[in-house]
Amino acid sequence: MEELGLADIEAFIAVARARGFRGAALQGNVSASALSAALRRLESRLGVRLLNRTTRSVTPTEAGQRLLDRLAPLIGDIGGALDSINAYRDSPTGTLRLNVPSIVARHVLPPIATRFLKAHPGITLDVITDDAFVDMLAAGCDAGIRYEERVERDMIAMPIGPRTQRFVAAASPSYLAERGRPAKPQDLVNHACIRHRFPSGVIAAWEFERRGKTVRIRPDGPLLASTIEMEVEAAVAGLGIIHTFEEFLQPQLESGALEPVLEDWCQGFTGPLLYYPSRTHMPAPLRAFVDFIRNEGTQQGDGEVRRTK
């Protein structure tokens, strides 16, 4: 049998885990065509089909799944062996791949990433922005950042970025002049509201809280979108009330383009968490990042907690 290439094997594992060439290409920073060529070479050398491909999905064949089950741990051991060389360097090298939601990618991670990369010039930070609930490891990432209720079970988690955040509701002065200002969350059913759809298709209810009382509202309105830029623009234009992370609206609130409403009902919540599976055999770039975040949070007494439920 012709000698097998490690790169082709890694391409097969990436595509099989991502269940598609496009997803694997995005995670590995390579082209889908390059992955497809690698898989064709591997299947040709082995003389067996490894993946079933359709226009909608890519799934391992029985032979492909068996190969994946045997190879994945071996590839991990090879990566760990190569990564152990980092112990002999003054500063670790390699790639750290993080899966984070858009609010974190835009308003939490940038200053942290800048400080971290300046401290560790040999590390490449690969940030995948995804608002869906994902299996971080199956997506080929070293760690993820999510909010507490979305952190996967049996993961080690630690605070990163702001310790508390909140959602705010806001509308343009022109809208409020025309439609009035809601006095309580229940009033929103009589207002035009700008809603957000998550990648999963879920349209979340709006939650408000005051003195231990929580009110959930499912409002209606002229716009339903999956991009915050469109939603903010619509609110500024006077189309309705928006309800989202305060950070997304901060420039418009400061300029007066939007005015807060229901301020005494603003819901606060715990800030984001960095989470990962274990400190055992941790890749050097991830270890460096965890240590960096821990050191930054030392003054606030932050530490690791294993999520069990």
Side-chain angles (χ1 to χ4, degrees):
M1 181 186 296
E2 186 179 352
E3 183 179 354
L4 299 178
L6 180 59
D8 292 350
I9 295 173
E10 289 178 327
F12 159 67
I13 293 174
V15 174
R17 282 176 168 172
R19 292 295 193 267
F21 288 91
R22 183 178 180 184
L26 290 172
Q27 294 166 16
N29 197 28
V30 296
S31 68
S33 60
L35 291 174
S36 180
L39 187 62
R40 286 196 302 270
R41 286 194 301 269
L42 185 60
E43 289 180 328
S44 176
R45 291 168 183 172
L46 293 176
V48 63
R49 177 176 287 274
L50 299 175
L51 296 176
N52 291 317
R53 311 161 178 80
T54 70
T55 56
R56 294 186 178 181
S57 66
V58 175
T59 56
T61 62
E62 183 178 356
Q65 187 61 53
R66 178 171 296 185
L67 181 63
L68 180 64
D69 292 340
R70 295 291 299 275
L71 282 178
L74 298 178
I75 292 295
D77 289 343
I78 292 173
L82 294 174
D83 187 65
S84 67
I85 301 300
N86 271 314
Y88 296 93
R89 297 191 177 98
D90 293 333
S91 179
T93 64
T95 298
L96 171 61
R97 184 170 288 112
L98 299 178
N99 189 291
V100 309
S102 58
I103 179 65
V104 170
R106 296 179 184 185
H107 294 282
V108 175
L109 192 56
I112 296 173
T114 299
R115 295 192 299 271
F116 172 70
L117 292 174
K118 285 184 177 180
H120 297 281
I123 293 178
T124 297
L125 186 59
D126 183 354
V127 179
I128 299 170
T129 303
D130 191 344
D131 285 319
F133 183 61
V134 299
D135 183 333
M136 172 264 293
L137 295 177
C141 295
D142 301 298
I145 299 176
R146 286 295 186 275
Y147 289 87
E148 187 171 10
E149 71 278 6
R150 304 300 296 274
V151 172
E152 300 171 39
R153 292 183 178 182
D154 203 29
M155 289 282 173
I156 296 174
M158 61 190 304
I160 182 171
R163 299 303 175 259
T164 59
Q165 291 179 270
R166 65 175 187 165
F167 277 97
V168 298
S172 70
S174 62
Y175 175 88
L176 295 175
E178 179 181 351
R179 299 288 299 272
R181 187 180 295 268
K184 57 186 182 299
Q186 293 85 343
D187 293 343
L188 292 173
V189 297
N190 298 317
H191 280 266
C193 295
I194 298 166
R195 296 164 295 159
H196 180 79
R197 179 192 289 114
F198 290 94
S200 62
V202 170
I203 304 169
W206 291 12
E207 290 191 1
F208 299 87
E209 183 178 351
R210 185 176 68 173
R211 293 194 290 272
K213 179 182 179 182
T214 299
V215 177
R216 292 168 57 90
I217 302 293
R218 292 191 177 276
D220 200 0
L223 179 65
L224 175 61
S226 57
T227 57
I228 189 63
E229 291 83 3
M230 178 175 286
E231 297 160 33
V232 173
E233 183 67 26
V236 171
L239 290 181
I241 297 174
I242 189 172
H243 182 248
T244 188
F245 286 93
E246 185 174 21
E247 289 87 346
F248 282 148
L249 304 180
Q250 198 63 49
Q252 290 76 22
L253 292 171
E254 291 178 353
S255 70
L258 292 176
E259 296 181 8
V261 298
L262 300 172
E263 291 183 82
D264 54 345
W265 284 90
C266 283
Q267 182 181 12
F269 50 89
T270 303
L273 300 171
L274 171 72
Y275 70 100
Y276 49 94
S278 172
R279 287 192 64 84
T280 304
H281 305 305
M282 186 184 295
L286 176 57
R287 185 183 304 110
F289 190 64
V290 168
D291 290 343
F292 179 83
I293 297 302
R294 183 189 299 108
N295 291 337
E296 285 210 332
T298 297
Q299 299 302 320
Q300 291 146 315
D302 298 325
E304 297 171 328
V305 176
R306 181 172 288 278
R307 295 277 295 169
T308 57
K309 47 182 172 174

